[in-house]
Amino acid sequence: MTQIQQQGTVLKASQISKTYAHDGLQQHILVNLDLDITRGEYVVVMGPSGAGKSTLMHVLSGMDSPTLGEIEFDGAAIGALNPRRLTDFRRDHCGFVFQQIHLLDSLSVLDNVLAVGLLGRRRRRAEVVRRAGELLDRVGIEEADRGKFPAMLSGGEAQRVAVVRALINSPAVVFADEPTGQLNSESSSAVLDLLGEVSAGGQTVLVVTHDLRSALRGDRVLYLRDGAIRGECVLGRRRDAEHDHDRLSRLTGFLDEMGW
Amino acid sequence: MSIRPASSFGVLALRNLRRARVQLAVVALLSLVAGALLNLGALCGIRYPQLIRGEADRLDAPQIVLLTPTTEAARTQAYLRSDARVSQVDSMTVLSERASLRLRSGSTAADVVYVDLDQQPALGRTEILERRDATVQDPVYLPHLFRATGDYGIGDPFTVTTPAGLTRTFHVAGFFENVYLGFITMGATGLGLPHDEYVALGNASTPPDRLAFLRAKVPDRKQITPVTADLTARLSAPSGAGHRSWVWNWDGIQIVTMTGPMLYALSLVLFALVVTLIVLMAIGFWIRGAIDQDLPAIGMLETFGFRSGQIVRGLALPAALVVLLGATVGVVASYAAVPLIAESLAGQTGMPWHPRPDVVSAVVIVLMLTLAALVPGMLAARSLRRLEPVAALRNRIASRTFRRNWLPLSAARGNLQMHLGLKQALANRTQSILVAVVCLVVGLGSIFSASLFTNVPSNKENFMHMLVGDYGQVAARIAPDADPDAVLAEVRAIPGVQKAVLKDFLQGSAANTQSLAVVMDDFEGQTFSSVAEGREPRHANEIAVGAVLARSTGKSVGQSISVRVGSTTADFLIVGTLSTVQYGGDRMDLTTAGYRRLVPNFQHEALDIAVQPGTSPTAVIDAMSRRLDGRLSSVTNQQQYLGCS
Ligand SMILES: Nc1ncnc2c1ncn2[C@@H]1O[C@H](COP(=O)(O)OP(=O)(O)O)[C@@H](O)[C@H]1O
Ligand SMILES: [Mg+2]
C-alpha cells in the first residue's frame, strides 16, 4: 500500500456535526464541517484546547460516528458500515497515534508492535518482524530495549513505539493526535522525520498539534475553533530545513490572524 | 519472543487470570462438583434404567407373571394363549405360602414362593449371584435384596414362620437375581432351593400350597398393561372366586425399580444446575470486571481493528478451559462415588450394579459445561460490540451516556468522606448489582443444597410426595379372602395408628393414555394434597387427572374424559388437575365407586397407614401382624423401603 497514486480525495467529510447531550444540555462540538483530504497529503490540525480536534480525528477515522453528515473513504461512505466492517476498515486502512499512548503494559515493546502487525491480513510473520525492526531502528529504539515492558520506558520512548505501531501495517491514512506533546526535541525530531517520510512515500498523514515545529512539517495547516474550520494555511511540501524560516513566518502570520 | 495476533489479548488475559486466581480456583472447584453431580445424575437416570432393561433381557424375563391355584392354571393358560397380543406362555408349579420373615427392622409378612433352582423355566431365569462353596445344612438361596440391605449374609440361619405358627429353618447358601421374585415388600418373595430340598419340602408333613406360576411374553410393551387389565378383570370374575390370584407385570416392576434412581437423578441434576449457574455467574462477573479494568486497552485494540469477539475470546477461553479441566476431573472422580450409590440403590431394587465408565455421557457433560462457560463471554462480546472505541478509550461505558453526576459536591452538605463513598458506590452500580445477585444466588444455592442434603438422604418425604403422592409409613395388602372394610376397622383400632385408608394403585387408560389409577375414598383427607387446580373426586362420576396427562390429552377441568379398564369404558367429569410426576405425570384419581363403574366387583387390596408422631412403625407392624395375621398378605415398612429416616 506504499505505492498509492498522489492525486484524488482519500477522505471527504461533508456537513458533519457532532453533538453530545449531557444532563439535558446539548454541546455542539463539530458544526456542519466540510473537509477534503488529498491522497498523500500531510495535514496539520491546530486550534485551542477543547475545540474538537480529537473529535474530528475520531470521526474521520471511524472510531466514532458523527451525529449528522457523511464521511467518505475512497469514495465509499463509512457511515454505512456495520460495527464489524467498520472495525475491519480501521484495521485495513488506518493507523493511530494516541495522545495518551495506550501501549499494552503486559506486552513487550516488540510484541506491542507485532500484536497489531500480525492482525493485518496477508501478513507473513517474518516479513512483519523484519519491518518492525526497521521502524524501531528508525525511531531509535535499540535492540536491547525491544524486550522491555512499557512501564520501563520513558514517555518519549513509549510514544515512539506507539508511532511504530501505527505505521506497521502501512496504513493509507495515519492519524496522530498530539504525537509530540510529551517528547523532548530530539525524540520529536525522530518522530516527525518518520511521519514526513511516510507522507513522502505516498501515505496520507493527519496530525493534531500545538507545536509550531511539528506544524511546519505539514503541506496544509487547518485552524479549528468552535466546531468549524476557521481558516487554512497552505505551506506546500517541505523539502528541507533550510526553507523552514519562510514557512514559519507564513504560519505565524496565519495563526496570528486566527487569534491563536 | 513473538506472538500470534489471536493470542495477543490472551497475554492481557493472563494478567487478569493472575489477578483472578481465587475466583478461577472457585470456578474450577465448582465445575468439578457440577461435572461429578451431572455424571452421577446421568448414570442414575440413563444407565440404571438400561441396567434394569438389560437384566430383564438377559434373564429372559416375561412381561406378565401370575400366581394362581393349580385348578385355575389350565383355564388361565388357555385364555392367555388365545390372546393375540401374547406371544408365549409358560407354566410351572411352585410351592407357596403366606409367611412372616425376620428383618433387622422387625418382622415382615410376605407371600413366599419356593422355586426349584435346578429346574429353570423357559421364561424368567433365576441367576445365582453368589454361593457358598462348602455345603450348608438346609440350604436356601435368597433374593439379592436381602444381602444389599444387609439383612442376611451367607451362612446365616433364615426362618420362615407361617400364620399357623409353623417354623421352617434354613441356612443361607447364596443369593440370586430374578426380575419378579426379587423383592421383599412387594409381590412375592422368592426362596430358591436345590432340587432335592425342593422335593423334600413338597413332601413335608405340612407342605406349602402348590400353586401354578404362569409367565407370559407380550412383545409390544404398550400392550402389557391392557393385557394385564383384561387378565385381572377375568380373574376377579365370579368364576375365579375363592382364591384371588396375584398378578404382576413389567410396568409395575419399572415403577418400583425406577423411583429410587429417578429420585437420585433428579436431585443430582437439580443440584448440578444450581452449581453451574453459580459457575456461570462467577465467569461473567470475572469477564466483566476484567473488561471494566482494561477498557482503555480494549479501546486501543478495537481502534487497531481487533473485533470484540477476538478481544473477549482471550478472557472467555481460559475460563472455559478451567471449566473443561474441572468438569473432566469431576466426571472421572465421580466414579469413586458410584459404589455408594449402587449400594444404596441395590437396597431398594435388589439389583447389583457395576456401571462401566460411560464415555459418551462423560464427553457430553464436559462439552455442555464448557459450552455453557462460553456464554458469559459471548454476552460480554455482544455488549462490547456496541461500544465505540472512543468511548472505551475514554474509559466510559457508552459514548452517549456520560455517567450522571450523582450528588454534585458543589451542592453536597455534611461529611465529605461519606459523599465520596456514596459517589463511588453509585458510579459502580452495575458492579454492586452483580455482587448482590451473586450473593443472592450463592445464598439460595446453599439453602437449596443444604435442604437437599438434609432432606434427601435423611428425610426424603417431600421429594417422595412429589414423586409418589401421599403415603403413610406402613403399607399392607389385604388377603384375598378377607373383608377389606372389616380389616380397615380393625387396623384403625390399633393404638399408634393415626390414619388408615384403603388405597389401591391400579392401571387403566384415560383418553387412550396408559395411566396409573389411584383408587380410594376420602382423597381430601390426605395429608399431602397434589391438587394443582380444582379438587379431588368425591363422587362416582368424578375424576382428577395429573397435569401432564391433562396437557397431553388436551383436557381441562370441567371437561369429561373417557377411561377404559379391560374392555369396559366409562366417562368421568374432570374436577381437578394434580401436580405430580408419578408415572410420568399420567395419573388419575378415582373414587372406589367410580372404579367399580369399570370393574364392578372391585375390592380394595391395599391399605395405607400413617402412624402417630412418636410411634415407631415397627411397633404398629408387629401389632398388625399379631392381630390380623392371616387376613393380611403382607405388611411393609414403607419408610424403610423408601429410605426415609
Ligand atoms: N463523549 C463525550 N461526551 C461529552 N462531551 C465530550 C465527549 N467527548 C468530548 N467531549 C467534549 O468535546 C469537546 C471537544 O473535545 P476534544 O475533541 O477532545 O477537544 P480537543 O482535542 O480539541 O482538545 C470538549 O469540550 C469535550 O469536553
Ligand atoms: Mg485532543
Side-chain angles (χ1 to χ4, degrees):
Chain A
M1 262 191 270
T2 30
Q3 291 309 113
I4 303 170
Q5 58 183 127
Q6 293 267 324
Q7 324 92 344
T9 299
V10 65
L11 265 180
K12 181 181 171 70
S14 323
Q15 292 288 300
I16 53 166
S17 299
K18 182 74 184 174
T19 304
Y20 288 113
H22 179 51
D23 262 353
L25 290 175
Q26 288 202 331
Q27 197 182 355
H28 303 282
I29 311 300
L30 301 176
V31 185
N32 296 338
L33 187 144
D34 286 311
L35 179 61
D36 261 37
I37 296 172
T38 309
R39 199 181 303 282
E41 203 181 2
Y42 191 139
V43 178
V44 172
V45 180
M46 297 187 80
S49 184
K53 303 182 295 292
S54 297
T55 305
L56 176 64
M57 300 276 271
H58 296 151
V59 168
L60 287 176
S61 64
M63 283 171 66
D64 203 353
S65 44
T67 313
L68 287 171
E70 191 71 78
I71 315 282
E72 279 169 38
F73 175 85
D74 264 349
I78 64 169
L81 301 176
N82 65 27
R84 168 176 282 221
R85 292 261 163 281
L86 199 57
T87 305
D88 292 351
F89 158 74
R90 291 193 301 266
R91 180 193 67 193
D92 297 337
H93 303 292
C94 306
F96 303 85
V97 181
F98 305 99
Q99 206 173 342
Q100 294 89 354
I101 307 176
H102 290 305
L103 292 178
L104 290 181
D105 54 9
S106 54
L107 299 186
S108 70
V109 164
L110 183 60
D111 283 350
N112 260 286
V113 175
L114 293 184
V116 172
L118 292 169
L119 183 66
R121 280 178 305 179
R122 292 166 277 132
R123 297 289 169 199
R124 285 182 36 240
R125 169 177 295 260
E127 165 70 14
V128 176
V129 172
R130 193 187 53 74
R131 183 169 158 75
E134 270 175 28
L135 289 170
L136 288 168
D137 277 342
R138 280 291 290 108
V139 295
I141 302 290
E142 309 280 326
E143 195 85 46
D145 291 334
R146 294 177 195 168
K148 284 186 177 170
F149 288 88
M152 303 149 90
L153 302 177
S154 72
E157 285 170 325
Q159 189 61 287
R160 281 181 275 154
V161 174
V163 171
V164 170
R165 178 180 62 183
L167 300 177
I168 185 74
N169 283 336
S170 312
V173 187
V174 180
F175 298 88
D177 196 348
E178 304 192 28
T180 56
Q182 312 185 19
L183 304 189
N184 60 25
S185 64
E186 200 184 322
S187 295
S188 28
S189 298
V191 166
L192 291 173
D193 287 349
L194 186 56
L195 288 175
E197 250 171 63
V198 159
S199 161
Q203 286 164 271
T204 308
V205 177
L206 203 64
V207 176
V208 171
T209 188
H210 285 293
D211 171 33
L212 283 180
R213 256 168 25 96
S214 303
L216 275 183
R217 305 280 182 136
D219 301 338
R220 183 157 59 121
V221 178
L222 307 176
Y223 195 81
L224 194 70
R225 201 181 54 213
D226 301 331
I229 294 169
R230 297 293 160 195
E232 64 172 42
C233 171
V234 179
L235 293 171
R237 186 117 297 208
R238 174 181 185 262
R239 306 216 189 281
D240 48 49
E242 279 166 34
H243 297 91
D244 273 0
H245 187 74
D246 172 42
R247 292 168 72 89
L248 183 60
S249 60
R250 278 162 63 198
L251 180 59
T252 46
F254 167 68
L255 289 175
D256 280 346
E257 206 180 303
M258 291 290 117
W260 197 54
Chain B
M1 182 182 87
S2 63
I3 46 151
R4 262 170 235 285
S7 62
S8 55
F9 197 76
V11 182
L12 184 65
L14 256 179
R15 184 187 56 182
N16 287 308
L17 290 178
R18 249 177 265 130
R19 265 192 228 142
R21 254 178 312 200
V22 178
Q23 230 163 335
L24 286 177
V26 171
V27 165
L29 199 73
L30 291 179
S31 316
L32 189 150
V33 172
L37 292 173
L38 279 177
N39 195 47
L40 291 176
L43 287 174
C44 289
I46 300 168
R47 294 300 287 268
Y48 208 85
Q50 282 173 2
L51 163 86
I52 293 163
R53 281 193 286 272
E55 289 300 86
D57 287 345
R58 200 168 55 79
L59 299 176
D60 236 332
Q63 280 74 42
I64 299 173
V65 297
L66 165 71
L67 208 54
T68 190
T70 38
T71 51
E72 299 279 320
R75 199 176 63 89
T76 310
Q77 201 173 347
Y79 163 73
L80 280 171
R81 287 227 164 88
S82 71
D83 192 324
R85 297 167 294 185
V86 178
S87 67
Q88 197 184 345
V89 185
D90 164 44
S91 172
M92 72 188 280
T93 306
V94 292
L95 296 170
S96 174
E97 62 192 347
R98 203 162 300 130
S100 132
L101 309 176
R102 206 127 264 298
L103 297 176
R104 274 187 313 182
S105 55
S107 61
T108 184
D111 273 321
V112 166
V113 172
Y114 299 93
V115 291
D116 182 347
L117 286 177
D118 296 315
Q119 255 201 322
Q120 290 284 353
L123 289 177
R125 279 193 307 281
T126 300
E127 185 175 82
I128 307 284
L129 293 173
E130 200 180 337
R131 71 162 85 225
R132 187 185 188 125
D133 295 331
T135 49
V136 296
Q137 230 193 333
D138 306 313
V140 68
Y141 290 81
L142 304 183
H144 180 255
L145 189 58
F146 284 87
R147 170 152 187 74
T149 55
D151 280 303
Y152 285 94
I154 286 182
D156 288 350
F158 180 79
T159 53
V160 175
T161 311
T162 69
L166 182 72
T167 302
R168 306 186 203 277
T169 304
F170 301 92
H171 289 91
V172 180
F175 296 93
F176 69 83
E177 200 181 343
N178 179 299
V179 174
Y180 288 93
L181 296 176
F183 298 97
I184 306 178
T185 51
M186 267 159 298
T189 305
L191 298 179
L193 299 177
H195 183 67
D196 293 344
E197 272 75 12
Y198 181 82
V199 172
L201 180 65
N203 295 334
S205 51
T206 31
D209 304 328
R210 241 167 243 283
L211 293 179
F213 192 32
L214 267 56
R215 305 130 196 266
K217 243 193 149 72
V218 181
D220 182 357
R221 294 249 138 109
K222 287 201 191 67
Q223 294 300 334
I224 297 173
T225 298
V227 172
T228 312
D230 293 347
L231 179 64
T232 317
R234 256 188 93 80
L235 290 172
S236 39
S239 66
H243 193 112
R244 258 190 289 166
S245 307
W246 172 86
V247 184
W248 215 13
N249 67 15
W250 175 244
D251 291 345
I253 290 282
Q254 285 211 316
I255 295 175
V256 167
T257 52
M258 298 302 188
T259 307
M262 286 306 161
L263 174 69
Y264 279 29
L266 196 74
S267 23
L268 287 165
V269 170
L270 274 179
F271 189 31
L273 287 184
V274 172
V275 175
T276 308
L277 202 66
I278 298 173
V279 168
L280 298 189
M281 302 249 1
I283 292 174
F285 191 37
W286 171 62
I287 289 181
R288 271 163 204 282
I291 287 176
D292 271 1
Q293 281 180 350
D294 280 323
L295 219 46
I298 287 169
M300 181 279 289
L301 289 167
E302 287 194 330
T303 301
F304 276 107
F306 282 82
R307 295 179 181 163
S308 53
Q310 283 174 306
I311 293 168
V312 172
R313 209 178 298 154
L315 295 164
L317 288 183
L321 192 71
V322 166
V323 170
L324 181 101
L325 291 177
T328 307
V329 173
V331 165
V332 171
S334 68
Y335 281 95
V338 166
L340 263 155
I341 290 184
E343 197 181 322
S344 125
L345 285 176
Q348 299 174 30
T349 64
M351 252 171 282
W353 189 36
H354 310 285
R356 268 177 301 136
D358 186 340
V359 180
V360 175
S361 62
V363 169
V364 168
I365 288 166
V366 170
L367 275 184
M368 265 173 19
L369 286 174
T370 309
L371 286 181
L374 289 172
V375 171
M378 278 155 55
L379 295 179
R382 254 175 57 118
S383 56
L384 206 55
R385 197 170 317 145
R386 289 193 294 266
L387 182 67
E388 272 158 346
V390 174
L393 280 171
R394 296 206 180 192
N395 215 343
R396 233 177 297 108
I397 300 305
S399 63
R400 265 169 291 282
T401 55
F402 255 126
R403 272 182 197 149
R404 232 188 114 188
N405 186 14
W406 297 91
L407 308 170
L409 287 180
S410 53
R413 294 146 146 250
N415 187 318
L416 178 67
Q417 300 302 321
M418 198 192 71
H419 274 282
L420 290 177
L422 263 175
K423 277 174 92 79
Q424 184 65 24
L426 286 167
N428 289 319
R429 252 170 316 161
T430 31
Q431 252 185 22
S432 314
I433 290 169
L434 257 177
V435 170
V437 170
V438 167
C439 290
L440 200 73
V441 170
V442 171
L444 286 180
S446 21
I447 290 170
F448 180 76
S449 50
S451 66
L452 261 184
F453 273 129
T454 53
N455 258 340
V456 173
S458 59
N459 174 12
K460 282 182 193 161
E461 279 183 44
N462 292 333
F463 264 96
M464 292 309 295
H465 283 313
M466 197 170 89
L467 289 166
V468 301
D470 193 65
Y471 64 90
Q473 293 89 335
V474 178
R477 292 198 77 78
I478 298 163
D481 34 18
D483 172 14
D485 293 320
V487 171
L488 178 67
E490 239 176 286
V491 168
R492 282 182 172 159
I494 291 173
V497 171
Q498 187 179 43
K499 204 177 75 177
V501 286
L502 292 167
K503 176 178 177 185
D504 277 78
F505 293 90
L506 302 155
Q507 309 230 333
S509 75
N512 288 322
T513 305
Q514 272 311 315
S515 311
L516 173 76
V518 178
V519 179
M520 69 182 286
D521 289 320
D522 192 25
F523 276 105
E524 273 142 0
Q526 293 186 116
T527 328
F528 178 83
S529 164
S530 311
V531 171
E533 189 198 342
R535 59 171 174 82
E536 291 275 18
R538 286 178 199 145
H539 307 290
N541 65 334
E542 294 178 347
I543 192 171
V545 294
V548 176
L549 180 61
R551 208 176 313 127
S552 66
T553 57
K555 300 278 185 183
S556 54
V557 172
Q559 291 183 300
S560 83
I561 190 166
S562 96
V563 178
R564 186 171 60 84
V565 173
S567 52
T568 316
T569 305
D571 282 348
F572 290 84
L573 175 70
I574 302 176
V575 293
T577 59
L578 309 168
S579 109
T580 175
V581 295
Q582 211 173 349
Y583 210 76
D586 292 339
R587 167 181 148 185
M588 53 184 167
D589 287 1
L590 289 169
T591 60
T592 307
Y595 195 74
R596 284 200 180 121
R597 289 173 59 206
L598 297 157
V599 182
N601 51 0
F602 165 73
Q603 288 290 326
H604 274 291
E605 282 182 39
L607 255 177
D608 188 68
I609 300 141
V611 301
Q612 267 159 14
T615 312
S616 136
T618 327
V620 171
I621 290 172
D622 284 342
M624 282 170 66
S625 308
R626 263 199 318 281
R627 291 199 196 187
L628 286 149
D629 215 4
R631 280 187 290 164
L632 294 176
S633 61
S634 76
V635 184
T636 312
N637 185 340
Q638 297 219 101
Q639 208 170 33
Q640 180 206 11
Y641 166 67
L642 294 169
C644 303
S645 54

